[in-house]
Amino acid sequence: MKAGKLTKETVWAALSKGSTLVFFLLINAALARILGREAFGAWSYFYAAFSVIYLASRLGVADSTRVFTARALGGDIRPPVVAGLALQTVSSSLFALGLLALAGPLCAAMKRPEFIPLFRLGALLVFTQGATDFFKLVFEGLHRLRFTFTTGFLDYALRLVLIVTLVRVFPQPWAAVTAFIIATALCAAVSFLVLDRRFLRPAGGYSLSGLPVVPMVAYAAPMFLTHLGLALSVELDTLMLGWLTTDAEVGLFAPAKEISARMMHGGVLLAMSTLQVFAHAKDEELPALVPLLNRLVGIAVGFYAACCIGILLFAEPVLVGIFGPEFAGVGVPMKLLAPFVFFMSISRVYTGILDYRGRAWVRAGCLALSVLLNLALNLVLIPRFGAAGAATATSLAYVPYVVLSWWWVRRMFAAAGRAAAKRDEPVRSVE
């Protein structure tokens, strides 16, 4: 891939993730100020549970489609895209129906019967948000990140507009869910038109022959487990805080948790704009990509070291200024989450390579270990320290995930280097 193309896609990726982060902060700040700390805490408890269900509903289909589409670049991209569209529709429909049927028992387990209408309304959001996120990942796989930027910008801009209008008039969580449904439905419709007219029709239109459904489903399985694990890694603390403590404590932790999760998008940015190179490379070409890998990691380390220093110095005044004086004390969990932000963000480079090289099962196993560790630490620390305990548990639990991902990538590159050296030995001996 040409350097100019990589630079251009990196710029689009930066715009995509940067705009999403800004909109996300504005959306959550608006919700926090409109609802207040306790109601915002209740909303965060609901949305954490919904997010886990939603990410499970994707079943890894969109991520598998991204990988197979990236591999098809330069050839016929229609089979993976069409197969992905069909699989995404099926998975979203099944989970939406399941959420409608199981909303009652789920809310009983959460000890929140008042959440039943929210989850039933959220069944529609499973479908609309799933479609929007699917198109974002397809454009990423096509390496057309300007469309990923457009999709994300439209999605979050519409959410913000609807939050400051609809939710301000009806300051209830159901209004926030409705705002998200409207925004994602409109965004999905626009994204489908772009995909259809710019990519599928010029390539010859839709075709049901040669669809790689079976291999895509097989590869979606580890991707599903990985993304379910990532959802738990982000939402587990909020869920356990909501179950073990009060809405006020959840409200204090939620801004720090959400911001830390979105700050990791810088690592995703590198994966979005560059790591498709590793999908196309043959095993013997991997040693030549080591300088690129080291450069990406170096960029991530430098950027996130600066970000974490900023968190330690300015978290409290900045977050209180954004979310309001009712959230005084939010800087403590934010500072405790700084190691989580640093290590998980850097790991996006390594885990992205594992995905593109067909090692998604490896990543899923490493992540499962850290999720279990996080659960155990939360049970110990949350009852005693509340939001601060949840933040501490998160930062400690995911160090093994990062270290093991790094070790696997280095092992893969080292094996490729040894194989390349052995192939070169006979040539050198003849010379």
Side-chain angles (χ1 to χ4, degrees):
M1 192 175 294
K2 295 181 180 180
K5 173 66 172 174
L6 287 177
T7 301
K8 183 187 298 184
E9 295 302 311
T10 300
V11 171
W12 282 115
L15 290 172
S16 176
K17 293 303 178 182
S19 63
T20 298
L21 177 60
V22 171
F23 277 124
F24 179 82
L25 286 172
L26 293 173
I27 289 168
N28 278 273
L31 282 172
R33 288 179 175 272
I34 293 170
L35 298 176
R37 178 171 160 181
E38 287 205 20
F40 182 70
W43 158 260
S44 299
Y45 185 27
F46 155 74
Y47 199 68
F50 172 80
S51 296
V52 174
I53 295 168
Y54 163 67
L55 287 172
S57 75
R58 291 169 58 173
L59 292 177
V61 169
D63 301 281
S64 181
T65 304
R66 169 177 57 87
V67 171
F68 276 76
T69 301
R71 292 176 179 174
L73 289 178
D76 189 357
I77 55 92
R78 292 178 300 164
V81 174
V82 173
L85 280 169
L87 292 170
Q88 180 66 39
T89 301
V90 171
S91 65
S92 292
S93 299
L94 290 175
F95 270 82
L97 292 172
L99 189 54
L100 284 173
L102 299 175
L106 174 62
C107 293
M110 294 176 67
K111 305 176 184 178
R112 294 298 178 90
E114 68 271 21
F115 286 172
I116 292 177
L118 295 180
F119 278 111
R120 288 178 175 166
L121 188 59
L124 182 57
L125 183 56
V126 164
F127 199 93
T128 59
Q129 186 167 330
T132 296
D133 289 341
F134 173 83
F135 291 123
K136 290 177 185 177
L137 288 175
V138 169
F139 291 138
E140 184 181 328
L142 290 168
H143 220 204
R144 295 295 186 272
L145 297 185
R146 66 183 182 275
F147 297 120
T148 303
F149 163 73
T150 304
T151 304
F153 186 92
L154 179 61
D155 180 9
Y156 282 90
L158 287 172
R159 293 191 196 206
L160 179 60
V161 170
L162 290 166
I163 288 296
V164 299
T165 53
L166 183 61
V167 181
R168 187 171 293 279
V169 175
F170 304 100
Q172 299 294 329
W174 67 262
V177 179
T178 302
F180 287 6
I181 290 171
I182 295 171
T184 51
L186 291 173
C187 186
V190 172
S191 299
F192 174 75
L193 289 175
V194 171
L195 180 66
D196 177 62
R197 296 181 181 181
R198 293 295 300 268
F199 298 99
L200 294 178
R201 288 191 185 182
Y206 298 86
S207 174
L208 297 179
S209 63
L211 299 184
V213 173
V214 174
M216 286 179 65
V217 169
Y219 197 70
M223 303 295 286
F224 159 70
L225 293 175
T226 298
H227 283 276
L228 182 59
L230 286 173
L232 288 172
S233 72
V234 174
E235 308 296 352
L236 181 63
D237 310 278
T238 304
L239 290 171
M240 296 188 71
L241 274 170
W243 195 57
L244 296 171
T245 62
T246 64
D247 286 343
E249 199 71 17
V250 177
L252 187 65
F253 178 74
K257 182 268 295 184
E258 296 290 354
I259 290 171
S260 67
R262 293 314 182 276
M263 286 187 69
M264 293 188 293
H265 281 184
V268 177
L269 184 156
L270 292 173
M272 286 172 61
S273 60
T274 307
L275 296 188
Q276 289 88 347
V277 174
F278 294 90
H280 297 287
K282 299 177 181 178
D283 288 344
E284 59 268 23
E285 296 172 337
L286 286 181
L289 294 175
V290 170
L292 174 61
L293 170 60
N294 292 335
R295 185 161 65 251
L296 294 175
V297 174
I299 293 170
V301 168
F303 177 78
Y304 280 101
C307 288
C308 289
I309 291 172
I311 289 172
L312 296 175
L313 293 176
F314 307 113
E316 181 71 18
V318 170
L319 294 184
V320 171
I322 293 173
F323 290 90
E326 195 175 354
F327 290 83
V330 68
V332 173
M334 187 72 248
K335 291 176 183 178
L336 291 171
L337 284 168
F340 173 73
V341 171
F342 181 79
F343 289 114
M344 287 292 282
S345 300
I346 294 170
S347 76
R348 292 303 181 96
V349 176
Y350 295 113
T351 57
I353 293 173
L354 290 174
D355 285 349
Y356 278 117
R357 298 301 299 177
R359 305 297 199 282
W361 279 111
V362 170
R363 183 157 79 103
C366 297
L367 186 58
L369 174 63
S370 284
V371 170
L372 292 174
L373 181 58
N374 192 24
L375 176 64
L377 290 172
N378 275 325
L379 288 172
V380 174
L381 296 176
I382 285 178
R384 295 186 61 187
F385 303 107
T392 302
T394 298
S395 285
L396 292 175
Y398 291 93
V399 173
Y401 172 63
V402 176
V403 172
L404 289 172
S405 298
W406 167 83
W407 180 78
W408 271 100
V409 169
R410 291 295 179 181
R411 177 185 177 187
M412 184 171 60
F413 274 79
R418 289 192 297 269
K422 287 182 179 180
R423 283 192 298 269
D424 291 341
E425 281 179 2
V427 176
R428 286 196 295 267
S429 63
V430 171
E431 293 175 350

